[in-house]
Amino acid sequence: MIANQLALVRRELWEHKSLYVTPAIVALVLILTILTAFVFASGHQEIVDIGILGAQNIAGEGERRAALLALLIGNTIPFILVSAILTTFYCLDSLYAERKSKSILFWRSLPITDAETVVSKSLTAALAIPLVAFAVIVIAHLVILLMTSIFVSIEGGNSMLLIWKSAPLFDAWAGILLIMLLLPIWFSPFIGWFLFVSAWTKRAPLLMAFLPLVLLPTLEYWVLRTHLIFDAITTRFDHLPIFKGIDLEQFFNDEKFVGNVDSVSLLGFIDIGKFLASPQMWAGVIVAGLFITAAIYVRRYRDDT
Amino acid sequence: MTSLVTATNVSKRYGDVHAVDNVSFEIDKGKIMGLFGPNGAGKTTLLKAVLGLTDCEGQLSVLGLDPFKQRKELMQNICFIADVAVLPRWIKVSQLLDFMEATHPNFTRSRSEELLSRTKVRKNAKVSELSKGMVTQLHLSIIAAIDAKLLVLDEPTLGLDIIFRKEFYSNLLSDYFDGERTILITTHQVEEIENLMTDIMFIHDGRILLDSSMEALPDIYTELTTSGENADKARQLGPIYERDVFGKKVMTFEGVSKEQLEGLGEPHTPSVADLFVAKVKGAAA
């Protein structure tokens, strides 16, 4: 069972090279951008010198840690956005392409159930895509920090103190990994819906997936003058129950914050309890489960090859 | 139990259309069963039902299993080649072997590699880079490496040139068939497998027109070439089908002995292709 899932998920990664090529391209773009920024910065010697001097002598450990955490998080957000797009396209393609190419006849000639296949595609979307992206993020972070420390050293700074001793690498990575694993669960109704559309539509999966998301709320408003569907869709995008409430004003002004190194923590901002206690999260998982079950059913009973 | 496939009153409807209409048959172990029918006759639907790819009415048992409900167990012991297009085009040969090894309990990788080494199929090639003939060789090398009890072939040589077609069937016999295994095959090129199959079944409009062993065919069916008065006499014996060839009448008889026809012209055993036409046209008339 688990061995089959591993083989099936590995197959998905063989087929969908974009799942690792795209994050790699994002990493390359980020690295090149930062490199360009360093070259540009070298032209402004005084500002760089003052910056390094300030960071070494005036800033406290907490501030240096916060600055580096911000650098790491900033260089993670593009990966998360790209992962969301990749997941969408992957899901829409995963059960559609095999029907279009008729290779479904080959896959179904093997001793693998439709449920196993659809589950493997769900796992690829919810687990494999974030894990692959995370691996690329870790490599990108290390390269960026290495470049930064070389730049700081060339400019006469103490890169050991400024970068390697100050960077909260494991806190940042643990936090990023956790967020990247929670996000697909939170957005799982979309994963389920896309997989279902992919299994069901005869053509244009992208259109068939997004058209109802626009048409249904519009129709509901015309007919019933209510906006329940609209709310159900849009509330997924605000109030993610992953983070503790952050008072931004306090975040930037609190004297204690800078003094307390341990409070500079991404992991510390994540609230697993709140996530697990969120009824919306569980409702979303149930909706996803229904869509995935429907996708299995369609793949099993539909006979159009 | 020697019967691998047992169908009793199997039907499959698509809306109002009876793709398969109340069909009953058996396929015994060690047989090579040829299934023929015009396009839309219900061949593929019947194969799909046997493979558990579609559900159907009636009782269908394959290797003692319900194919639709127990597809996974069934597929450990059945192999299936639909047509050359079905191997995924993006996959590499080596990946395909890796995947088979990981997921199929009855797959022997070394056997597949040995068969592939006799071909020009390179291991690091993608399926999309292979010619149609090579894709078929690849597919057959995988199928032959699976210790399966039943092999189902649906138009396996469609779109292949003559050399690959001949090679496919000779490889099928030498690498796959060992008298223990059973093959169910459909093709339009009847003559290519005429000497290969042990049993034959005709299907038309969802119904079975003929279900016989190849050995029994000469005893049941006779084709008579005749003309003039003899033709009229022969017609009294009730041919199932009659056609004109170069001014002579060629009649196909069912259940009329060759001795009876001896004096009326030249009796001989019809080819499968001719018999097929006679049965289908006769049924339509």
Side-chain angles (χ1 to χ4, degrees):
Chain A
M1 183 69 200
I2 291 168
N4 263 11
Q5 282 303 324
L6 283 175
L8 285 165
V9 170
R10 189 176 52 162
R11 179 193 78 180
E12 296 304 309
L13 293 174
W14 287 337
E15 181 176 2
H16 300 270
K17 289 200 182 68
S18 63
L19 298 186
Y20 49 88
V21 171
T22 318
I25 290 172
V26 172
L28 207 63
V29 169
L30 282 178
I31 288 165
L32 289 177
T33 308
I34 290 169
L35 204 61
T36 315
F38 285 149
V39 171
F40 181 74
S42 336
H44 301 266
Q45 201 63 50
E46 287 119 53
I47 300 170
V48 172
D49 286 348
I50 290 168
I52 290 176
L53 205 67
Q56 271 180 194
N57 302 317
I58 302 164
E61 207 183 327
E63 279 169 334
R64 283 198 291 266
R65 199 175 145 95
L68 284 163
L69 185 58
L71 173 78
L72 294 176
I73 294 172
N75 281 302
T76 301
I77 290 168
F79 288 98
I80 292 182
L81 295 176
V82 162
S83 293
I85 297 167
L86 276 179
T87 308
T88 303
F89 280 93
Y90 165 76
C91 288
L92 287 173
D93 186 66
S94 64
L95 291 161
Y96 176 73
E98 61 170 14
R99 289 187 291 129
K100 214 177 166 204
S101 70
K102 296 208 170 189
S103 61
I104 186 172
L105 279 175
F106 171 71
W107 300 120
R108 294 193 84 207
S109 77
L110 302 176
I112 296 163
T113 61
D114 296 294
E116 282 177 304
T117 303
V118 175
V119 165
S120 78
K121 291 176 193 257
S122 315
L123 285 178
T124 303
L127 214 55
I129 292 177
L131 288 178
V132 168
F134 177 73
V136 179
I137 287 171
V138 168
I139 295 167
H141 282 174
L142 287 174
V143 173
I144 288 167
L145 288 178
L146 191 68
M147 286 189 330
T148 313
S149 77
I150 290 171
F151 176 75
V152 166
S153 298
I154 290 172
E155 299 295 335
N158 181 351
S159 62
M160 205 58 201
L161 169 75
L162 288 182
I163 309 296
W164 301 109
K165 274 190 179 164
S166 301
L169 281 183
F170 293 101
D171 172 76
W173 288 340
I176 288 165
L177 180 60
L178 197 55
I179 292 168
M180 292 187 78
L181 292 176
L182 295 184
L183 281 176
I185 299 175
W186 175 246
F187 287 109
S188 62
F190 290 98
I191 291 178
W193 165 245
F194 293 150
L195 284 170
F196 169 71
V197 170
S198 180
W200 159 79
T201 187
K202 284 205 194 276
R203 57 189 70 84
L206 189 66
L207 192 68
M208 298 309 268
F210 283 97
L211 213 54
L213 297 184
V214 178
L215 286 184
L216 284 179
T218 315
L219 201 69
E220 185 198 333
Y221 187 68
W222 273 349
V223 178
L224 302 168
R225 292 278 144 191
T226 56
H227 35 76
L228 295 171
I229 301 174
F230 180 79
D231 289 347
I233 295 170
T234 51
T235 51
R236 276 289 131 181
F237 291 91
D238 43 59
H239 305 304
L240 270 63
I242 292 178
F243 302 103
K244 287 176 181 157
I246 301 172
D247 184 343
L248 284 181
E249 214 153 305
Q250 199 186 353
F251 182 81
F252 285 109
N253 292 328
D254 197 343
E255 289 289 324
K256 266 191 293 178
F257 160 73
V258 179
N260 184 3
V261 175
D262 292 333
S263 71
V264 185
S265 162
L266 178 60
L267 214 48
F269 280 119
I270 299 170
D271 192 344
I272 286 276
K274 183 171 151 192
F275 185 77
L276 291 177
S278 160
Q280 288 96 324
M281 186 277 284
W282 290 110
V285 169
I286 290 169
V287 170
L290 291 175
F291 277 131
I292 288 168
T293 309
I296 294 170
Y297 188 88
V298 170
R299 192 180 193 262
R300 183 158 152 75
Y301 286 87
R302 158 95 130 253
D303 182 20
D304 58 359
T305 42
Chain B
M1 195 191 76
T2 54
S3 169
L4 279 191
V5 182
T6 312
T8 317
N9 305 323
V10 168
S11 294
K12 172 75 186 177
R13 265 180 302 184
Y14 293 104
D16 290 339
V17 183
H18 277 82
V20 174
D21 192 4
N22 211 19
V23 154
S24 301
F25 63 92
E26 282 187 15
I27 302 174
D28 290 340
K29 187 176 168 189
K31 300 289 186 188
I32 300 180
M33 166 74 88
L35 176 64
F36 304 101
N39 288 331
K43 276 177 308 187
T44 300
T45 306
L46 193 59
L47 289 191
K48 278 185 178 170
V50 168
L51 292 163
L53 295 176
T54 185
D55 56 347
C56 59
E57 295 161 43
Q59 283 89 51
L60 182 60
S61 157
V62 180
L63 310 175
L65 301 166
D66 178 326
F68 191 67
K69 292 199 178 111
Q70 295 165 288
R71 191 172 67 81
K72 181 171 175 171
E73 292 89 320
L74 186 71
M75 284 307 170
Q76 293 183 358
N77 287 302
I78 287 198
C79 290
F80 171 45
I81 299 186
D83 116 350
V84 289
V86 301
L87 283 184
R89 292 178 58 75
W90 53 264
I91 207 165
K92 279 185 185 169
V93 175
S94 57
Q95 290 174 337
L96 193 56
L97 297 180
D98 287 345
F99 185 79
M100 291 301 297
E101 198 176 22
T103 57
H104 206 304
N106 295 331
F107 179 75
T108 311
R109 187 189 181 116
S110 55
R111 172 88 178 119
S112 195
E113 284 172 341
E114 180 201 324
L115 294 171
L116 277 178
S117 68
R118 295 188 218 152
T119 69
K120 286 182 181 164
V121 177
R122 287 173 301 112
K123 277 216 203 124
N124 58 350
K126 276 187 181 180
V127 169
S128 59
E129 295 160 5
L130 303 175
S131 71
K132 260 191 156 185
M134 285 156 93
V135 175
T136 309
Q137 286 176 328
L138 171 62
H139 206 159
L140 190 62
S141 79
I142 286 169
I143 298 298
I146 296 172
D147 186 18
K149 296 191 176 79
L150 175 65
L151 172 61
V152 177
L153 302 169
D154 188 9
E155 300 284 355
T157 56
L158 201 69
L160 293 185
D161 62 41
I162 181 81
I163 309 243
F164 273 115
R165 290 209 302 267
K166 291 273 179 207
E167 201 183 272
F168 178 86
Y169 288 114
S170 74
N171 287 346
L172 183 69
L173 282 189
S174 59
D175 301 333
Y176 185 85
F177 193 68
D178 58 4
E180 283 292 302
R181 291 166 162 187
T182 309
I183 301 178
L184 173 59
I185 182 168
T186 76
T187 173
H188 276 92
Q189 262 107 19
V190 189
E191 46 310 327
E192 280 180 359
I193 62 163
E194 196 161 348
N195 300 320
L196 198 105
M197 52 192 179
T198 60
D199 289 76
I200 186 164
M201 201 151 73
F202 289 167
I203 184 166
H204 182 54
D205 282 343
R207 291 165 192 268
I208 289 175
L209 290 183
L210 173 81
D211 181 5
S212 164
S213 73
M214 286 298 282
E215 283 172 357
L217 281 187
D219 297 334
I220 307 169
Y221 295 97
T222 309
E223 202 170 71
L224 181 74
T225 309
T226 181
S227 58
E229 266 179 47
N230 281 343
D232 292 334
K233 283 185 195 161
R235 212 168 277 133
Q236 311 261 308
L237 294 168
I240 57 170
Y241 180 63
E242 184 179 330
R243 65 196 156 106
D244 289 308
V245 178
F246 301 124
K248 293 195 167 185
K249 300 284 180 197
V250 177
M251 299 178 189
T252 311
F253 292 90
E254 181 176 343
V256 178
S257 72
K258 288 198 171 48
E259 290 73 38
Q260 261 182 291
L261 297 166
E262 203 69 56
L264 300 172
E266 306 156 38
H268 52 267
T269 302
S271 72
V272 170
D274 287 337
L275 181 59
F276 178 61
V277 173
K279 283 297 259 184
V280 170
K281 297 262 180 146

